[in-house]
Amino acid sequence: MEIPKAYDPKLAEERHYARWEAQGCFAPEINRDPAAPVYSIVIPPPNVTGSLHMGHALQHTIMDVLARYHRMRGHRTLWLPGTDHAGISTQIQVEKLLKKEGTSRHELGRDKFLERVWEWKERYGGEILSQMRREGASVDWSRHRFTLDEGLSRAVREFFVRMYEKGWIYRGEGLINWCPKDQTALSDLEVDKVTKKDGQLFYLQYPVKGSDRRVTVATTRPETMLGDTAVAVSPKDARYADLVGRTLVLPVVGREIPVVADHFVDPEFGTGAVKVTPAHDPNDYQMGRRHDLPQVKVIDQHARMTVEAGREFAGLDRYEARALVVEKFEALGLLERVAEYEFSISQCGRCATVIEPLLSVQWFLKQAALGQKPLELMREQRAPHFVPETPYEKVYTNWLEGLHDWTLSRQLWWGHRIPAWYDEAGNVYVARTEEDARRQAGTDDLTQDEDVLDTWFSSALWPISTLGWPDETDDLKTFYPTSVLVTARDIIFLWVARMMMTGVEFTGERAFDDVYITGTIFDRHGQRMSKTKANGVDPLVVFEKYGVDATRIVLASIGTTDTRWNDTQVESYRNFANKIWNAARFCLLNSEGAQVGKGFAGEPKTWALHDRWIMSRLQKATRDTTQSIEAYDFHAAVQTIYHFFWDDFCDWYIELSKADVAAPDASPARDAARSRALTVLEQALRLLHPFMPFITEELWLRLPGVGTDQLHAAYKHAEPTVMLAAFPQPREELIDERAEGEIQSLVELVSRVRNIRAEMGVRPGEAVRLLVSAPDAALRAVFESGAQQIARLVRASEVAVGDSISAPKASARAVLAGGAEVAVPLEGLIDFAQERERLGKEREKLGKEAEKIEAQLANPNFVGRAPAEKVAELRQRSEDIAQRTRMLAETLEALAD
RNA sequence: GCUCGCUUAGCUCAGUGGUAGAGCACACGCUUCACACGCGUGGGGUCGUAGGUUCAAGUCCUACAGCGAGCACCA
């Protein structure tokens, strides 16, 4: 068998995915156990406009690790993929295209435009899906869903109608966030608050009618004064008490406006008097309603001044109008002052245009009503369980406690059209279909609402709509509630909370048991990766450079941590993949006569010490990995497997077993040793598979003896693949603490001798003699029977073991645990002064530690109050140190002669 | 303004009240028959600062500093 020395990830990456998919490994139907527990995940549907970024790769890796792990556990596993139509983004994308062609959506008309968007979606919307295949994502493609699919659209209409019938969805006038560039309303969550550091606060004076008095108000938006219909002061403010109820004359405009008292006004802030513009400010809107103030709209949808703003202002841009207003006030002597002021402005989350609060008629959802059940679920059952719990459980709960109405309608064409129809008289009919609406209206002469729904409206239904709701499908019954939701923190409100709302509302059950919030990946300098900064690291480039598996295991390891990306991490796991490759290469080059599975044969008591040891280590690694994955602690899981594989298996086990495994002549003992190595390797590949699917499959298939036997019982009918192998279960009976202790002694001996060789400058090729002593017979037996292994590992010509040492004075020595000692005769090489110094340093180290321990043991409070077990442990250590110190002292004394 | 998080080796990060860790980087030595994407050895930390609780604090509490995030209707 030809096996290259270096692992080439591309080979495996190209070879296995299509086969897995073709054999149906990703679909839950592969599981033939009717009693199998169910495990399900729905993917956060990426935008059709999107291409894969590191955040996706992180989320997908976590989901794939979970899916593959549970599948190997024999669970009926579904990971459902899909994409989101992404209303605004997609529409903007296509509109840009049209602009290049010299046309526009308005020129095309609604139907033609939508045709173009669908065309675009078919052509480019699949990019992210093919990128997911590259990642190795084990999603069930047969269940792929798109938010505009007929089934999902039906769910959207059902949701809308039911909420309307409950009175939770309504149409009405409200002050909404308007993006003057995208020409649509936006919900509060689609607006970003951005700090404006170089802002200005203008102090404007309004004359009191029939008096010389002036009231000063402060504003960051002077142009809105054209729409002022009152000035408000605090009811508790003595300074203005006599003014309440009096009239002001609005400068420039000349309108007479009242002074009202409202509790909203903070007398401590600014001048204590606030201009009130009900049509253009959320707070003023509320105050306007409380005091029944007129609403004067002075800014339009394009952020230009209206006719109502006055002839001089009409048609001006809002910023031009601002300058002009300020100029006029100055001319009138009514501009008191302009102060530098830091405040925050609202920007469109998509195009960063400054939002204009506008009065308009839109559809709204009373989220507070829908949020009650999720809130109860959290309070009573603490569900869903957030990972990490802090801070997300609280963030989620706090948001649910303060819900505002959700502006649902968008003035776009791409999306789910609002299922509301109007007759000629303007009466509205909300229905699941146009036929229904006609029946309700008693006429065919209806016009459908022009607007579409917020993209997140359909996303809110994702876990149930993808599984077939509102129908009671088998999928819905089987896979809902889903097991876990994996996503980034920025959509906890936009998406996570809302899925919980609809899920609980329509099924009575939570949408998912757990919510796993991934960390954020920053660039090397700690900056958020973004398109505009062009500092993003492209996952595909990293895949290309280091391999998919290496990238995945790094991402899994990152998990919930915010981290700065650095390639060196991936490089080190690329090296790990190569290490796995070469360990397997060694096993395979020495596999004649051996078979996977036979490694467990025979009574463990009869196995070689190093075999008992590696099997024990394997069980612990298996146990710890399982526990870590179950606890979503992927970092710990990766560390466990990494160190088991590299340190235990490669550095020690392969070296300790080499003489047996690579013996020149065939024998049952050699077969057994080879089988053992192969079996441990095979088990390790299974542990690694969820993290590194490609290399594990590539190697696993090459192992002699793998087949149906290794598959989980639920998959016995399937073609052999490590993907469907049973995830290892720890076998407690193979945990052997004694063997672990003995190998630890052996490892210590080898390490100390290697240290002596390096420090004393023994040439690498030169063999040394070892004189080993151990007072304990059992320990002596370990060294005696391991003499050949020790000799091989330290390049010794001889390893003499006895109950005491009589070594030449010209020897380097080391004291070991359990009172053991080793001497390496180094005639001619040893410099006595140097050796004395080396040993002296060690004695000093021991001395310091002894001092600390003695102090603690001398403390009656410690001995009295600490657990007896801790005290005993410390006494044991103290004795061990004392013994070593004594032995070192003797050695030093002997050297001094 | 409120809430929360982070601060551990040169870098990126683990760390469960009981002997401070990993990978990379660094230094020295190695063509040792799986692997130089490797092997062996070594150096490197007042765990942000100051208090407190405790027999014992990187770990728990308080304050402060720096960095970051989220929320909020302060004109």
Side-chain angles (χ1 to χ4, degrees):
Chain A
M1 197 188 299
E2 275 297 304
I3 307 172
K5 276 189 170 189
Y7 172 56
D8 178 7
K10 284 193 195 77
L11 225 80
E13 285 163 18
E14 283 162 11
R15 199 173 291 174
H16 304 295
Y17 193 88
R19 184 174 47 85
W20 287 329
E21 190 182 347
Q23 290 174 3
C25 297
F26 301 154
E29 286 74 21
I30 191 86
N31 190 310
R32 296 260 176 98
D33 172 12
V38 172
Y39 191 81
S40 60
I41 306 177
V42 292
I43 201 170
N47 292 353
V48 282
T49 51
S51 62
L52 197 75
H53 58 63
M54 215 36 108
H56 290 126
L58 171 56
Q59 293 173 29
H60 297 167
T61 297
I62 301 294
M63 284 184 265
D64 199 44
V65 167
L66 289 168
R68 286 179 185 271
Y69 166 76
H70 285 277
R71 203 178 283 114
M72 290 175 80
R73 293 290 306 272
H75 299 173
R76 182 180 309 283
T77 302
L78 168 63
W79 181 15
L80 186 146
T83 39
D84 191 287
H85 66 282
I88 302 183
S89 312
T90 312
Q91 176 156 334
I92 290 176
Q93 198 101 353
V94 177
E95 282 192 85
K96 270 187 197 157
L97 214 69
L98 294 178
K99 198 172 176 188
K100 270 189 204 157
E101 296 172 12
T103 180
S104 73
R105 73 172 158 125
H106 297 287
E107 254 175 64
L108 281 183
R110 189 164 189 146
D111 292 344
K112 277 264 159 50
F113 176 72
L114 287 178
E115 260 174 48
R116 283 297 303 266
V117 186
W118 276 105
E119 223 171 82
W120 183 92
K121 184 252 172 189
E122 294 309 324
R123 194 140 168 212
Y124 302 105
E127 191 189 348
I128 196 147
L129 302 178
S130 59
Q131 291 171 330
M132 282 182 64
R133 288 169 197 266
R134 185 80 212 281
E135 292 177 304
S138 61
V139 294
D140 180 6
W141 293 109
S142 73
R143 283 178 170 82
H144 174 270
R145 295 288 181 271
F146 177 54
T147 45
L148 285 177
D149 285 350
E150 177 43 37
L152 277 71
S153 301
R154 191 159 72 89
V156 163
R157 293 192 296 270
E158 184 71 26
F159 177 20
F160 192 95
V161 172
R162 287 202 200 178
M163 290 295 100
Y164 181 76
E165 285 169 352
K166 269 192 126 160
W168 291 359
I169 281 183
Y170 64 93
R171 183 168 180 265
E173 184 168 69
L175 196 77
I176 48 89
N177 303 300
W178 182 266
C179 175
K181 180 148 185 281
D182 297 338
Q183 286 293 299
T184 180
L186 297 171
S187 72
D188 294 345
L189 294 175
E190 291 164 298
V191 169
D192 298 329
K193 291 274 167 76
V194 179
T195 306
K196 192 165 164 57
K197 288 199 166 131
D198 58 345
Q200 291 179 305
L201 188 61
F202 300 87
Y203 288 80
L204 309 179
Q205 298 178 338
Y206 293 180
V208 179
K209 190 184 176 191
S211 150
D212 291 341
R213 230 173 128 183
R214 293 168 178 179
V215 175
T216 305
V217 296
T219 181
T220 54
R221 301 196 58 192
E223 70 279 15
T224 62
M225 63 76 53
L226 299 169
D228 281 4
T229 53
V231 164
V233 298
S234 167
K236 292 177 204 149
D237 197 334
R239 292 174 296 174
Y240 297 111
D242 63 317
L243 281 182
V244 175
R246 291 192 62 180
T247 302
L248 306 178
V249 181
L250 196 57
V252 183
V253 183
R255 182 162 55 235
E256 298 193 349
I257 58 174
V259 176
V260 299
D262 194 285
H263 62 261
F264 165 76
V265 181
D266 176 3
E268 304 293 318
F269 188 87
T271 63
V274 186
K275 60 189 276 307
V276 183
T277 322
H280 297 286
D281 181 277
N283 299 314
D284 296 4
Y285 175 75
Q286 295 299 333
M287 275 197 280
R289 288 169 65 118
R290 285 197 286 274
H291 300 280
D292 204 19
L293 300 171
Q295 297 164 339
V296 179
K297 295 184 194 176
V298 291
I299 302 171
D300 72 8
Q301 300 187 337
H302 301 280
R304 291 183 177 279
M305 307 312 286
T306 64
V307 178
E308 279 190 273
R311 203 173 307 142
E312 277 178 280
F313 292 95
L316 287 187
D317 172 80
R318 54 188 163 177
Y319 299 113
E320 293 166 358
R322 177 174 304 174
L324 187 55
V325 166
V326 172
E327 199 179 294
K328 297 235 172 211
F329 267 77
E330 199 163 15
L332 291 167
L334 295 174
L335 180 65
E336 191 171 298
R337 63 190 174 101
V338 181
E340 284 185 13
Y341 185 63
E342 185 181 315
F343 66 106
S344 65
I345 48 170
S346 299
Q347 290 187 348
C348 172
R350 202 143 300 277
C351 71
T353 301
V354 175
I355 288 300
E356 196 56 53
L358 284 188
L359 265 182
S360 95
V361 175
Q362 302 285 343
W363 289 90
F364 297 92
L365 169 63
K366 294 179 181 170
Q367 276 190 125
L370 208 47
Q372 284 318 299
K373 284 177 189 167
L375 206 48
E376 281 167 29
L377 195 63
M378 176 53 82
R379 284 181 181 151
E380 287 162 17
Q381 298 177 42
R382 288 193 76 188
H385 171 61
F386 278 88
V387 180
E389 199 169 277
T390 20
Y392 302 116
E393 182 178 305
K394 209 169 157 188
V395 164
Y396 169 86
T397 310
N398 288 349
W399 189 72
L400 286 176
E401 284 166 347
L403 290 174
H404 299 295
D405 288 2
W406 173 10
T407 310
L408 296 176
S409 33
R410 295 288 175 278
Q411 287 63 51
L412 306 170
W413 288 349
W414 176 243
H416 299 97
R417 197 146 168 193
I418 289 173
W421 286 262
Y422 306 94
D423 62 18
E424 280 198 327
N427 296 309
V428 63
Y429 304 96
V430 169
R432 288 168 179 80
T433 62
E434 183 156 8
E435 291 76 60
D436 270 5
R438 285 177 180 164
R439 264 196 299 277
Q440 281 182 40
T443 170
D444 286 356
D445 198 12
L446 295 178
T447 320
Q448 186 169 6
D449 197 299
E450 293 290 322
D451 291 348
V452 299
L453 288 158
D454 182 359
T455 293
W456 296 102
F457 191 83
S458 55
S459 310
L461 297 168
W462 188 248
I464 54 176
S465 63
T466 52
L467 295 173
W469 186 87
D471 294 336
E472 284 244 352
T473 58
D474 287 342
D475 270 8
L476 189 63
K477 282 184 230 165
T478 307
F479 298 110
Y480 190 89
T482 62
S483 309
V484 62
L485 185 89
V486 178
T487 191
R489 60 168 154 257
D490 52 342
I491 53 176
I492 291 176
F493 307 145
L494 275 169
W495 192 48
V496 178
R498 285 167 175 171
M499 283 189 288
M500 194 54 90
M501 292 180 190
T502 64
V504 180
E505 177 67 21
F506 296 128
T507 70
E509 288 186 277
R510 66 191 70 171
F512 23 78
D513 298 328
D514 301 333
V515 179
Y516 182 98
I517 304 291
T518 58
T520 306
I521 300 177
F522 301 102
D523 74 1
R524 197 152 46 91
H525 309 288
Q527 297 285 310
R528 189 176 278 274
M529 290 183 182
S530 75
K531 271 186 193 162
T532 47
K533 280 186 217 147
N535 61 344
V537 178
D538 183 351
L540 297 171
V541 172
V542 183
F543 290 167
E544 195 64 24
K545 203 165 164 195
Y546 301 106
V548 174
D549 286 330
T551 315
R552 284 174 55 117
I553 200 165
V554 166
L555 290 169
S557 200
I558 285 172
T560 61
T561 318
D562 287 355
T563 195
R564 297 179 185 206
W565 184 264
N566 63 337
D567 271 9
T568 62
Q569 246 184 116
V570 194
E571 195 180 332
S572 77
Y573 281 100
R574 188 269 318 259
N575 296 350
F576 180 49
N578 195 57
K579 191 72 179 176
I580 297 167
W581 180 260
N582 277 289
R585 184 168 180 264
F586 171 76
C587 293
L588 288 169
L589 290 173
N590 296 288
S591 64
E592 200 188 307
Q595 280 212 324
V596 161
K598 286 190 179 164
F600 291 117
E603 189 60 34
K605 268 184 285 186
T606 65
W607 296 351
L609 172 60
H610 59 267
D611 283 335
R612 278 179 280 136
W613 170 76
I614 196 68
M615 280 298 184
S616 182
R617 299 296 298 159
L618 174 65
Q619 303 319 312
K620 286 185 179 175
T622 301
R623 184 192 62 197
D624 295 349
T625 303
T626 305
Q627 280 172 2
S628 296
I629 295 176
E630 294 283 348
Y632 295 107
D633 187 353
F634 304 110
H635 184 274
V638 168
Q639 289 301 305
T640 299
I641 308 176
Y642 181 94
H643 289 292
F644 169 74
F645 199 93
W646 201 311
D647 302 352
D648 293 343
F649 186 64
C650 293
D651 285 353
W652 293 103
Y653 180 74
I654 288 183
E655 297 306 327
L656 288 169
S657 64
K658 221 167 218 175
D660 298 338
V661 168
D665 301 316
S667 70
R670 194 182 76 170
D671 290 350
R674 291 179 165 191
S675 292
R676 201 95 67 213
L678 269 181
T679 301
V680 175
L681 171 68
E682 194 267 345
Q683 294 274 310
L685 291 178
R686 293 198 214 180
L687 291 177
L688 273 162
H689 178 74
F691 301 94
M692 307 182 95
F694 294 112
I695 191 175
T696 50
E697 177 77 330
E698 180 66 29
L699 291 172
W700 192 84
L701 290 172
R702 297 181 188 219
L703 302 183
V706 295
T708 312
D709 277 357
Q710 278 71 36
L711 299 189
H712 189 280
Y715 311 119
K716 289 294 185 196
H717 61 283
E719 289 293 310
T721 161
V722 67
M723 223 195 116
L724 300 177
F727 198 79
Q729 298 282 90
R731 299 191 188 184
E732 290 297 326
E733 77 277 9
L734 290 181
I735 291 181
D736 187 337
E737 296 297 350
R738 181 174 175 151
E740 292 203 32
E742 289 176 350
I743 291 289
Q744 203 182 334
S745 299
L746 196 147
V747 165
E748 189 194 14
L749 172 64
V750 168
S751 301
R752 298 307 297 271
V753 174
R754 282 172 171 173
N755 170 257
I756 287 171
R757 290 189 61 121
E759 299 252 312
M760 293 291 129
V762 179
R763 275 180 290 118
E766 192 172 336
V768 292
R769 270 197 318 135
L770 252 55
L771 304 168
V772 186
S773 76
D776 178 58
L779 190 54
R780 224 158 38 231
V782 171
F783 293 146
E784 272 162 5
S785 59
Q788 281 200 338
Q789 293 166 315
I790 295 166
R792 184 189 181 102
L793 290 171
V794 302
R795 291 219 149 200
S797 54
E798 185 197 344
V799 179
V801 182
D803 51 9
S804 67
I805 290 180
S806 73
K809 185 183 164 191
S811 299
R813 292 165 186 259
V815 292
L816 311 170
E821 200 175 3
V822 61
V824 184
L826 294 172
E827 196 62 56
L829 264 174
I830 198 161
D831 173 333
F832 289 103
Q834 193 191 343
E835 174 69 354
R836 271 199 301 274
E837 199 187 319
R838 195 176 69 86
L839 295 173
K841 264 190 206 160
E842 194 175 343
R843 190 171 63 168
E844 210 176 303
K845 237 200 273 181
L846 286 174
K848 271 185 191 160
E849 208 186 330
E851 218 173 289
K852 256 168 75 180
I853 293 174
E854 289 317 316
Q856 215 174 337
L857 284 171
N859 181 349
N861 283 328
F862 171 72
V863 180
R865 297 193 201 184
E869 166 194 321
K870 290 285 171 200
V871 178
E873 200 182 296
L874 211 62
R875 289 219 164 98
Q876 176 61 46
R877 251 175 62 211
S878 167
E879 275 168 36
D880 190 54
I881 289 170
Q883 186 182 36
R884 284 176 188 238
T885 309
R886 271 199 309 278
M887 289 165 65
L888 269 174
E890 282 168 26
T891 309
L892 275 164
E893 215 171 293
L895 274 177
D897 300 342

